[in-house]
Short mmCIF file of all heavy atoms in Angstrom, two decimals:
data_model
loop_
_atom_site.label_atom_id
_atom_site.label_comp_id
_atom_site.label_asym_id
_atom_site.label_seq_id
_atom_site.Cartn_x
_atom_site.Cartn_y
_atom_site.Cartn_z
N THR A 1 -13.52 -17.69 13.11
CA THR A 1 -13.20 -16.45 13.82
C THR A 1 -11.71 -16.17 13.77
O THR A 1 -10.89 -17.07 13.92
CB THR A 1 -13.68 -16.53 15.28
OG1 THR A 1 -15.09 -16.77 15.31
CG2 THR A 1 -13.40 -15.22 16.01
N VAL A 2 -11.39 -14.91 13.60
CA VAL A 2 -10.01 -14.43 13.69
C VAL A 2 -9.95 -13.42 14.83
O VAL A 2 -10.91 -12.70 15.08
CB VAL A 2 -9.53 -13.83 12.35
CG1 VAL A 2 -10.34 -12.61 11.97
CG2 VAL A 2 -8.05 -13.51 12.40
N TYR A 3 -8.82 -13.40 15.51
CA TYR A 3 -8.64 -12.56 16.69
C TYR A 3 -7.45 -11.62 16.52
O TYR A 3 -6.53 -11.91 15.76
CB TYR A 3 -8.41 -13.42 17.94
CG TYR A 3 -9.50 -14.42 18.21
CD1 TYR A 3 -9.39 -15.74 17.77
CD2 TYR A 3 -10.65 -14.06 18.90
CE1 TYR A 3 -10.38 -16.66 18.01
CE2 TYR A 3 -11.66 -14.98 19.15
CZ TYR A 3 -11.52 -16.28 18.69
OH TYR A 3 -12.51 -17.19 18.94
N LEU A 4 -7.49 -10.54 17.26
CA LEU A 4 -6.33 -9.65 17.36
C LEU A 4 -6.15 -9.32 18.83
O LEU A 4 -6.94 -8.56 19.40
CB LEU A 4 -6.52 -8.38 16.54
CG LEU A 4 -5.30 -7.47 16.49
CD1 LEU A 4 -4.17 -8.14 15.70
CD2 LEU A 4 -5.63 -6.11 15.87
N GLN A 5 -5.15 -9.93 19.44
CA GLN A 5 -4.81 -9.63 20.83
C GLN A 5 -3.89 -8.43 20.85
O GLN A 5 -2.82 -8.46 20.23
CB GLN A 5 -4.14 -10.83 21.49
CG GLN A 5 -3.69 -10.58 22.92
CD GLN A 5 -4.86 -10.38 23.88
OE1 GLN A 5 -5.83 -11.11 23.82
NE2 GLN A 5 -4.74 -9.39 24.76
N MET A 6 -4.30 -7.39 21.55
CA MET A 6 -3.53 -6.14 21.56
C MET A 6 -3.09 -5.86 22.99
O MET A 6 -3.92 -5.65 23.88
CB MET A 6 -4.40 -4.99 21.04
CG MET A 6 -4.98 -5.25 19.66
SD MET A 6 -5.86 -3.84 18.98
CE MET A 6 -7.21 -3.70 20.13
N ASN A 7 -1.79 -5.87 23.20
CA ASN A 7 -1.21 -5.60 24.51
C ASN A 7 -0.38 -4.32 24.47
O ASN A 7 -0.02 -3.84 23.39
CB ASN A 7 -0.33 -6.77 24.95
CG ASN A 7 -1.09 -8.07 25.09
OD1 ASN A 7 -2.28 -8.08 25.42
ND2 ASN A 7 -0.42 -9.18 24.82
N SER A 8 -0.08 -3.81 25.64
CA SER A 8 0.75 -2.60 25.75
C SER A 8 0.24 -1.50 24.82
O SER A 8 1.01 -0.88 24.08
CB SER A 8 2.21 -2.93 25.44
OG SER A 8 2.71 -3.92 26.29
N LEU A 9 -1.04 -1.27 24.88
CA LEU A 9 -1.66 -0.30 23.96
C LEU A 9 -1.16 1.11 24.21
O LEU A 9 -0.89 1.50 25.36
CB LEU A 9 -3.18 -0.37 24.09
CG LEU A 9 -3.81 -1.57 23.36
CD1 LEU A 9 -5.21 -1.85 23.89
CD2 LEU A 9 -3.84 -1.32 21.87
N LYS A 10 -1.08 1.87 23.13
CA LYS A 10 -0.61 3.25 23.17
C LYS A 10 -1.71 4.16 22.62
O LYS A 10 -2.53 3.72 21.81
CB LYS A 10 0.64 3.39 22.30
CG LYS A 10 1.78 2.46 22.66
CD LYS A 10 2.92 2.60 21.67
CE LYS A 10 4.06 1.64 22.00
NZ LYS A 10 5.18 1.77 21.02
N PRO A 11 -1.70 5.43 22.99
CA PRO A 11 -2.71 6.35 22.44
C PRO A 11 -2.70 6.37 20.90
O PRO A 11 -3.76 6.52 20.28
CB PRO A 11 -2.29 7.70 23.01
CG PRO A 11 -1.65 7.35 24.32
CD PRO A 11 -0.91 6.06 24.05
N GLU A 12 -1.54 6.17 20.30
CA GLU A 12 -1.48 6.17 18.84
C GLU A 12 -2.09 4.94 18.21
O GLU A 12 -2.21 4.85 16.98
CB GLU A 12 -0.03 6.34 18.36
CG GLU A 12 0.97 5.39 18.97
CD GLU A 12 1.70 6.00 20.16
OE1 GLU A 12 1.04 6.67 21.01
OE2 GLU A 12 2.94 5.79 20.25
N ASP A 13 -2.51 3.97 19.01
CA ASP A 13 -3.25 2.82 18.49
C ASP A 13 -4.74 3.12 18.34
O ASP A 13 -5.49 2.30 17.80
CB ASP A 13 -3.09 1.61 19.42
CG ASP A 13 -1.67 1.08 19.47
OD1 ASP A 13 -1.03 1.02 18.41
OD2 ASP A 13 -1.21 0.74 20.58
N THR A 14 -5.18 4.28 18.80
CA THR A 14 -6.58 4.66 18.68
C THR A 14 -6.99 4.73 17.22
O THR A 14 -6.35 5.42 16.41
CB THR A 14 -6.81 6.03 19.36
OG1 THR A 14 -6.58 5.90 20.76
CG2 THR A 14 -8.24 6.50 19.11
N ALA A 15 -8.03 3.99 16.87
CA ALA A 15 -8.49 3.91 15.48
C ALA A 15 -9.73 3.03 15.41
O ALA A 15 -10.09 2.36 16.39
CB ALA A 15 -7.40 3.31 14.59
N VAL A 16 -10.35 3.02 14.24
CA VAL A 16 -11.36 2.02 13.93
C VAL A 16 -10.63 0.83 13.31
O VAL A 16 -9.91 0.99 12.32
CB VAL A 16 -12.43 2.56 12.97
CG1 VAL A 16 -13.38 1.45 12.55
CG2 VAL A 16 -13.19 3.71 13.61
N TYR A 17 -10.83 -0.34 13.90
CA TYR A 17 -10.16 -1.55 13.44
C TYR A 17 -11.16 -2.40 12.64
O TYR A 17 -12.26 -2.68 13.12
CB TYR A 17 -9.64 -2.35 14.63
CG TYR A 17 -8.41 -1.76 15.24
CD1 TYR A 17 -8.46 -0.57 15.97
CD2 TYR A 17 -7.16 -2.37 15.08
CE1 TYR A 17 -7.32 -0.02 16.53
CE2 TYR A 17 -6.02 -1.82 15.64
CZ TYR A 17 -6.11 -0.64 16.35
OH TYR A 17 -4.98 -0.08 16.89
N SER A 18 -10.72 -2.81 11.46
CA SER A 18 -11.57 -3.62 10.59
C SER A 18 -10.86 -4.91 10.22
O SER A 18 -9.65 -4.90 10.01
CB SER A 18 -11.91 -2.85 9.31
OG SER A 18 -12.59 -1.65 9.58
N CYS A 19 -11.64 -5.98 10.12
CA CYS A 19 -11.06 -7.21 9.61
C CYS A 19 -11.45 -7.37 8.14
O CYS A 19 -12.41 -6.76 7.67
CB CYS A 19 -11.49 -8.43 10.42
SG CYS A 19 -13.23 -8.84 10.31
N ALA A 20 -10.67 -8.17 7.44
CA ALA A 20 -10.88 -8.35 6.01
C ALA A 20 -10.54 -9.78 5.63
O ALA A 20 -9.72 -10.43 6.29
CB ALA A 20 -10.01 -7.36 5.23
N ALA A 21 -11.17 -10.24 4.54
CA ALA A 21 -10.97 -11.60 4.06
C ALA A 21 -10.54 -11.58 2.60
O ALA A 21 -11.08 -10.82 1.79
CB ALA A 21 -12.26 -12.41 4.21
N ALA A 22 -9.60 -12.46 2.28
CA ALA A 22 -9.11 -12.59 0.92
C ALA A 22 -9.21 -14.06 0.52
O ALA A 22 -8.67 -14.92 1.22
CB ALA A 22 -7.67 -12.12 0.81
N ILE A 23 -9.86 -14.33 -0.60
CA ILE A 23 -9.88 -15.69 -1.12
C ILE A 23 -8.46 -16.02 -1.58
O ILE A 23 -7.91 -15.30 -2.42
CB ILE A 23 -10.88 -15.83 -2.27
CG1 ILE A 23 -12.30 -15.52 -1.79
CG2 ILE A 23 -10.81 -17.24 -2.86
CD1 ILE A 23 -13.33 -15.46 -2.90
N ALA A 24 -7.89 -17.05 -1.02
CA ALA A 24 -6.47 -17.30 -1.28
C ALA A 24 -6.12 -18.75 -1.00
O ALA A 24 -6.88 -19.48 -0.36
CB ALA A 24 -5.62 -16.39 -0.39
N SER A 25 -4.96 -19.13 -1.46
CA SER A 25 -4.44 -20.46 -1.12
C SER A 25 -4.17 -20.51 0.38
O SER A 25 -4.04 -19.48 1.04
CB SER A 25 -3.17 -20.75 -1.91
OG SER A 25 -2.16 -19.82 -1.57
N ARG A 26 -4.07 -21.70 0.90
CA ARG A 26 -4.08 -21.88 2.36
C ARG A 26 -2.83 -21.40 3.07
O ARG A 26 -2.84 -21.23 4.28
CB ARG A 26 -4.38 -23.33 2.69
CG ARG A 26 -5.75 -23.75 2.19
CD ARG A 26 -6.16 -25.10 2.66
NE ARG A 26 -7.56 -25.35 2.28
CZ ARG A 26 -8.27 -26.39 2.69
NH1 ARG A 26 -7.72 -27.27 3.51
NH2 ARG A 26 -9.50 -26.54 2.31
N PHE A 27 -1.76 -21.16 2.33
CA PHE A 27 -0.52 -20.72 2.96
C PHE A 27 -0.18 -19.28 2.56
O PHE A 27 0.97 -18.88 2.56
CB PHE A 27 0.62 -21.66 2.59
CG PHE A 27 0.38 -23.06 3.07
CD1 PHE A 27 -0.15 -24.02 2.23
CD2 PHE A 27 0.66 -23.41 4.38
CE1 PHE A 27 -0.38 -25.31 2.67
CE2 PHE A 27 0.43 -24.70 4.83
CZ PHE A 27 -0.09 -25.65 3.97
N TYR A 28 -1.21 -18.51 2.24
CA TYR A 28 -1.03 -17.14 1.76
C TYR A 28 -1.51 -16.15 2.80
O TYR A 28 -2.55 -16.33 3.42
CB TYR A 28 -1.84 -16.96 0.47
CG TYR A 28 -1.88 -15.54 -0.06
CD1 TYR A 28 -0.88 -15.07 -0.89
CD2 TYR A 28 -2.94 -14.69 0.26
CE1 TYR A 28 -0.92 -13.77 -1.39
CE2 TYR A 28 -2.99 -13.41 -0.23
CZ TYR A 28 -1.99 -12.95 -1.07
OH TYR A 28 -2.03 -11.68 -1.55
N ALA A 29 -0.73 -15.10 3.00
CA ALA A 29 -1.15 -13.98 3.84
C ALA A 29 -0.72 -12.70 3.14
O ALA A 29 0.29 -12.70 2.44
CB ALA A 29 -0.51 -14.07 5.23
N ALA A 30 -1.46 -11.62 3.34
CA ALA A 30 -1.20 -10.40 2.56
C ALA A 30 -1.24 -9.16 3.43
O ALA A 30 -2.11 -9.01 4.29
CB ALA A 30 -2.23 -10.26 1.46
N ARG A 31 -0.28 -8.26 3.16
CA ARG A 31 -0.25 -6.95 3.83
C ARG A 31 -1.05 -5.90 3.05
O ARG A 31 -1.47 -4.90 3.61
CB ARG A 31 1.20 -6.46 3.94
CG ARG A 31 2.11 -7.32 4.80
CD ARG A 31 3.52 -6.73 4.79
NE ARG A 31 4.46 -7.46 5.62
CZ ARG A 31 5.20 -8.46 5.18
NH1 ARG A 31 5.10 -8.85 3.93
NH2 ARG A 31 6.05 -9.06 6.00
N ASP A 32 -1.24 -6.13 1.76
CA ASP A 32 -1.82 -5.14 0.87
C ASP A 32 -3.34 -5.20 0.95
O ASP A 32 -3.93 -6.25 0.71
CB ASP A 32 -1.36 -5.40 -0.56
CG ASP A 32 -1.75 -4.29 -1.50
OD1 ASP A 32 -2.61 -3.46 -1.14
OD2 ASP A 32 -1.20 -4.25 -2.61
N ALA A 33 -3.97 -4.06 1.22
CA ALA A 33 -5.43 -4.02 1.35
C ALA A 33 -6.12 -4.42 0.05
O ALA A 33 -7.25 -4.94 0.08
CB ALA A 33 -5.88 -2.63 1.78
N THR A 34 -5.48 -4.21 -1.07
CA THR A 34 -6.12 -4.54 -2.35
C THR A 34 -6.29 -6.05 -2.55
O THR A 34 -7.03 -6.46 -3.42
CB THR A 34 -5.33 -3.96 -3.53
OG1 THR A 34 -4.02 -4.53 -3.55
CG2 THR A 34 -5.21 -2.44 -3.43
N ALA A 35 -5.62 -6.85 -1.73
CA ALA A 35 -5.76 -8.30 -1.84
C ALA A 35 -7.07 -8.80 -1.24
O ALA A 35 -7.49 -9.92 -1.49
CB ALA A 35 -4.59 -8.99 -1.14
N TYR A 36 -7.72 -7.95 -0.43
CA TYR A 36 -8.90 -8.36 0.31
C TYR A 36 -10.18 -7.92 -0.39
O TYR A 36 -10.29 -6.77 -0.83
CB TYR A 36 -8.84 -7.78 1.73
CG TYR A 36 -7.69 -8.33 2.53
CD1 TYR A 36 -6.43 -7.74 2.47
CD2 TYR A 36 -7.85 -9.46 3.31
CE1 TYR A 36 -5.36 -8.27 3.18
CE2 TYR A 36 -6.79 -9.99 4.03
CZ TYR A 36 -5.55 -9.39 3.96
OH TYR A 36 -4.50 -9.93 4.67
N SER A 37 -11.15 -8.83 -0.43
CA SER A 37 -12.39 -8.55 -1.15
C SER A 37 -13.59 -8.34 -0.23
O SER A 37 -14.62 -7.83 -0.68
CB SER A 37 -12.70 -9.71 -2.11
OG SER A 37 -12.74 -10.94 -1.40
N SER A 38 -13.48 -8.71 1.02
CA SER A 38 -14.59 -8.55 1.96
C SER A 38 -14.09 -7.86 3.21
O SER A 38 -13.00 -8.18 3.71
CB SER A 38 -15.20 -9.91 2.32
OG SER A 38 -15.70 -10.56 1.18
N TRP A 39 -14.93 -6.94 3.72
CA TRP A 39 -14.53 -6.12 4.87
C TRP A 39 -15.68 -6.05 5.88
O TRP A 39 -16.85 -6.02 5.51
CB TRP A 39 -14.20 -4.70 4.41
CG TRP A 39 -12.98 -4.64 3.55
CD1 TRP A 39 -12.89 -4.90 2.21
CD2 TRP A 39 -11.66 -4.30 3.98
NE1 TRP A 39 -11.60 -4.76 1.79
CE2 TRP A 39 -10.82 -4.39 2.85
CE3 TRP A 39 -11.10 -3.95 5.21
CZ2 TRP A 39 -9.44 -4.12 2.91
CZ3 TRP A 39 -9.74 -3.67 5.27
CH2 TRP A 39 -8.93 -3.77 4.12
#
């Protein structure tokens, strides 16, 4: 499981939030949506 704790929420945070998974080495993290293969 992965979590997203959201504090001090603002109206501009309103959205549909999706999680995604990327097959990657263990010390890798990515900002680019194209890196993720499962949603």
Side-chain angles (χ1 to χ4, degrees):
T1 302
V2 63
Y3 303 96
L4 185 68
Q5 177 67 44
M6 305 186 295
N7 299 329
S8 302
L9 282 161
K10 304 175 181 180
E12 51 264 43
D13 294 319
T14 295
V16 174
Y17 284 71
S18 300
C19 67
I23 298 173
S25 63
R26 297 188 173 189
F27 299 97
Y28 173 86
R31 297 179 178 91
D32 189 344
T34 62
Y36 295 87
S37 55
S38 299
W39 293 82

